């Protein structure tokens, strides 16, 4: 059984936060109250903690109301360095770690994982486990689209995004996943009206609605299609 803490404060994921590998964006969701959007981070061999200030948003989709979705950018990171980071307040604090990439160059060894069409079945679990157990040890995931398959559920039940986020947290909290969208992230159900996000001013001129990726779209360094998601 998951702990209460895990249920209340989950879906921690990181993605690359700049173009050269010196920043990481961490995102997470708190359920009952916003709490803090700040993150603390420090290197493996130092106890000096840096802090970064984040922000949060919420969204509604049909009969679904999201939790508080936090994003925080940890920057000025050193290359090839293990960092611990901590988010949350009081007894909801959670700690994770990641390793930054080497400097950009013409011949830099780096291992990417590739996964698409993951979903959230026993096969999905098997796929992610294979990836995590592989001795090749992927350092960053390039995710090829088709995430939660929420569109297979009535009203494209966004709770399926929550359950999917919890499922993948065991990898996404400790290595960057870089996202692109697949056809299952496109909402072609005209009877469902997407509530525009307050901060976006987006009037959705295309007439096509896209899924909210629980903050993934706000990462700022992902493909234009993903950036268009809301
Ligand atoms: Fe697919």
């Amino acid at each position: 059984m998951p702990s209460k803490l895990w249920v209340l404060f989950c879906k921690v994921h990181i993605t690359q936060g700049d173009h050269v590998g010196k920043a990481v964006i961490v995102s997470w969701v708190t359920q009952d109250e916003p709490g803090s959007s700040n993150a603390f981070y420090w290197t493996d061999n130092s106890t000096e903690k840096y802090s970064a200030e984040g922000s949060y948003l919420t969204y509604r989709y049909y009969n679904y109301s999201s939790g508080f979705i936090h994003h925080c950018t940890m920057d000025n990171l050193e290359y090839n360095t293990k960092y611990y980071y901590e988010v949350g307040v009081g007894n909801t604090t959670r700690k994770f770690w990641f390793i930054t990439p080497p400097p950009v160059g013409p011949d830099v060894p780096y291992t990417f994982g590739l996964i698409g069409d993951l979903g959230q079945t026993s096969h999905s679990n098997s796929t992610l486990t294979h990836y995590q157990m592989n001795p090749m040890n992927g350092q960053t995931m390039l995710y090829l689209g088709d995430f939660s398959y929420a569109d297979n559920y009535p009203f494209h039940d966004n709770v399926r995004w929550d359950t999917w986020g919890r499922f993948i947290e065991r990898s996404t909290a400790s290595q960057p996943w870089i996202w692109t969208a697949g056809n299952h992230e496109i909402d072609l159900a005209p009877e469902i009206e997407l509530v525009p996000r307050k901060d976006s001013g987006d009037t959705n001129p295309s007439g096509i609605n896209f899924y909210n990726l629980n903050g993934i779209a706000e990462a700022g360094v992902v493909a234009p299609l993903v950036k268009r998601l809301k």
Side-chain angles (χ1 to χ4, degrees):
M1 282 286 288
S3 70
K4 190 178 177 195
L5 171 61
W6 187 77
V7 171
L8 293 177
F9 173 15
C10 57
K11 293 186 286 183
V12 177
H13 59 270
I14 59 173
T15 195
Q16 195 173 322
D18 66 5
H19 290 105
V20 295
K22 290 177 74 75
V24 164
I25 300 166
V26 55
S27 305
W28 68 97
V29 177
T30 53
Q31 211 56 52
D32 292 339
E33 51 190 59
S36 169
S37 296
N38 297 347
F40 296 92
Y41 54 105
W42 62 98
T43 61
D44 196 17
N45 52 16
S46 166
T47 53
E48 189 187 354
K49 287 189 178 179
Y50 304 96
S51 66
E53 201 177 315
S55 60
Y56 70 87
L57 53 86
T58 61
Y59 78 96
R60 298 182 67 183
Y61 184 84
Y62 197 70
N63 57 353
Y64 170 88
S65 295
S66 75
F68 301 91
I69 303 165
H70 303 262
H71 304 294
C72 184
T73 303
M74 299 175 279
D75 56 12
N76 292 315
L77 305 177
E78 300 296 324
Y79 292 117
N80 283 319
T81 302
K82 182 173 183 177
Y83 280 87
Y84 292 96
Y85 70 96
E86 211 171 65
V87 289
V89 287
N91 59 5
T92 66
T93 299
R94 294 181 72 195
K95 188 169 99 177
F96 303 92
W97 58 268
F98 59 83
I99 297 172
T100 50
V104 175
D107 188 20
V108 179
Y110 198 72
T111 308
F112 290 96
L114 296 174
I115 293 182
D117 304 314
L118 188 57
Q120 43 194 312
T121 66
S122 58
H123 297 291
S124 318
N125 190 33
S126 165
T127 298
L128 188 55
T129 302
H130 276 124
Y131 172 66
Q132 293 191 284
M133 302 298 286
N134 192 309
M136 283 292 289
N137 194 21
Q139 294 161 278
T140 286
M141 173 66 71
L142 299 178
Y143 193 84
L144 305 173
D146 290 352
F147 299 62
S148 73
Y149 290 77
D151 60 332
N152 288 342
Y153 289 80
F155 307 125
H156 301 193
D157 185 1
N158 273 213
V159 171
R160 301 300 293 180
W161 282 105
D162 293 335
T163 53
W164 192 75
R166 290 185 195 117
F167 158 54
I168 59 170
E169 187 194 76
R170 68 195 206 207
S171 174
T172 56
S174 57
Q175 68 171 242
W177 283 39
I178 296 173
W179 315 87
T180 190
N183 60 299
H184 286 275
E185 281 72 64
I186 299 172
D187 171 18
L188 295 174
E191 72 277 15
I192 297 177
E193 187 180 351
L194 190 68
V195 179
R197 236 178 48 200
K198 270 179 269 169
D199 59 340
S200 72
D202 194 340
T203 54
N204 189 28
S206 72
I208 297 175
N209 293 329
F210 290 88
Y211 276 112
N212 188 298
L213 293 185
N214 294 330
I216 292 164
E218 280 71 38
V221 294
V222 288
L225 178 57
V226 176
K227 289 187 75 168
R228 175 62 183 78
L229 297 171
K230 55 192 176 179

